[in-house]
Amino acid sequence: MLIIKGLSMSFNKGTDNELRLFDGLNLEIEKNRCTALIGPNGCGKSTLLNLIAGSIKLDQGQIILDGEEITKLKEEERANLLGRVYQDPYMGVSPSLTILENMALADKKGERFTLKRLIRKKNIDRYREILRELNLGLENKLHTKVKYLSGGQRQSLSLIMATMKHPSLLLLDEHTAALDPKTSDLVMKKTKELIEKHAITTIMISHNLKDALEYSDRIIMLNRGNIILDRRSKDITEDQLMEIYRKKLEMVA
Amino acid sequence: MNSLIITSIEQGLIFGILAMGVLLTYKILDIADLTVEGSFPFGAFIFAKLVTSGLNPIASTLLSFLFGTLAGLLTAILFTKLKIKPLLSGILTMTILYSVNLKTNGKANIPLFSHASIYDLGPIMITLIIIALIIKVTLDSFLKTEIGYLLIATGDNESLVKSLGKNSNNYKILGLMLANGLVALSGALMAQYQGFVDITMGSSIIVVALASIIIGDTIGKKSNRIKNTSKAIMGAIIYKIIGGIAIDLGLEPSDLKAVSAIIVIAFLSYNNLFSQLLDIKRIRGGEKYADNKRPVNELQ
């Protein structure tokens, strides 16, 4: 479970352009559930993810993951507990290395890196098995450099790499936004399978309301750093959501 | 002519070690590291200081590697900790090293003819081949280790390294240290080879290193079998042979620097412009387009 307490954060602090985004935000994300964050550009979705991951610093507040306070941890220290898939499929992989080399790197996440050989024969079958579950034929391309894969294949690999060590929390930052609709659908389905299979607590940002509803258990709408809607995904339809989206946003605008 | 080839190969092997060092920063970490201009003579001057103080040449050569790593460390600290741009960090270290080099022995030129050298151990060519091979094999196997792969990933995509729970700056530091260690070692070997050290021996050495790497890159371009380290050594040897022949044909040695720079410009612009033209042809041919379609079909 992720608990965010009294989170405050401003951009351009101490200048005339200071922009207060979060002002005492409280949020609890339930364990083993997928929570979708939606909202217009600038509402704070991505910033919230960056704050959780430690890519940007908060001004005030606490972030507690599975009972451990992670507020003071550096980005790379938090990374051991988190998995993250970005919008850009290149962000989660090393493009000039092969699929096998990328998998082997992800498999060492959070461990000590030493002067032992990275690729161990005994692990290759396990990697192949993990890739086979994706159904993309990647298990036959272990020695292909990742830069030669398609966006969808690359993003699926990023997803596998981010979840391989079963993180306490998975952050999906519009991870299908750069893909064509068909590929996007497929990656979303694979995402759902993976997070259900390994019971991974997930926060997903999406601009696609339909996806957000279909693939999440809970839906949270943000506007200017405030939660303006918080519902179970099955209790609301896409049309209702659209209606609220429009009304609420007009109201606060 | 024959002796020209032999000299070129011998010098090529020495510059091959330089090129393997620069390979780490230029190709793997994707940093243009100008420290090299200072660390090459630094290795030579440290060697001269140690060997003229009575230390044996093998230990002196090895120590020059260690001092070279310190030069890399300084540049790395400047840009990872003090946030100075990598290019400027290298220039600053190189400038510092210029003064340091002059200070080590108190003069700009030191003859070493009367001192023992590593080449006293056996035939020069064999000695150099063995040294270059040991470094090549060690570097190749290092790049296959867990830490080695993190070094590659740092140059490739820093955010991946962070997501693995590692501080990518540490690997930049490591890479710069190793690179400049090798460059200093190469400087020490060069000093013994030519029998003197000189304050100008590092000037535009980065161009020599880049020319070697770039020429080496054209060897076996289509295959992954030949390792970058082998290519760097071969590139350095070919570079030296070309340079040797050019001088033999009447080119002034002082013109060689401009020629080297032009070689680098020609190869880089070919890679940047001409190879892209070929790509466009491929796209027009529909091959690339079809390539992009394939995954979608596979995904269905």
Side-chain angles (χ1 to χ4, degrees), chain A residues 5-9 20 23-24 57-62 71:
Chain A
K5 271 193 211 162
L7 174 77
S8 296
M9 204 289 271
R20 175 150 281 225
D23 194 0
K57 287 201 173 70
L58 46 74
D59 299 334
Q60 262 171 20
Q62 281 181 306
T71 325

Side-chain angles (χ1 to χ4, degrees), chain B residues 69-130:
Chain B
T69 62
L70 295 181
L73 177 64
L74 177 60
T75 303
I77 288 173
L78 291 184
F79 93 85
T80 60
K81 306 283 186 235
L82 305 182
K83 310 288 173 204
I84 300 169
K85 292 240 185 311
L87 194 65
L88 186 56
S89 301
I91 293 173
L92 291 170
T93 307
M94 162 189 128
T95 310
I96 293 171
L97 286 177
Y98 185 86
S99 304
V100 173
N101 286 339
L102 287 175
K103 264 276 183 297
T104 47
N105 296 274
K107 46 189 172 179
N109 191 306
I110 307 132
L112 295 171
F113 299 106
S114 54
H115 292 278
S117 100
I118 207 162
Y119 306 116
D120 300 337
L121 297 171
I124 295 180
M125 180 76 92
I126 306 288
T127 312
L128 281 172
I129 289 176
I130 291 172

Side-chain angles (χ1 to χ4, degrees), chain A residues 167-209:
Chain A
S168 310
L169 178 67
L170 177 66
L171 304 173
L172 304 174
D173 194 348
E174 291 190 63
H175 72 306
T176 61
L179 307 174
D180 66 69
K182 208 164 217 163
T183 318
S184 159
D185 249 16
L186 195 121
V187 172
M188 276 314 304
K189 286 203 177 77
K190 299 290 173 201
T191 309
K192 194 176 165 70
E193 279 172 29
L194 267 173
I195 60 183
E196 280 176 0
K197 187 176 169 209
H198 302 300
I200 302 172
T201 314
T202 305
I203 302 179
M204 166 175 90
I205 292 184
S206 180
H207 268 303
N208 183 332
L209 294 184

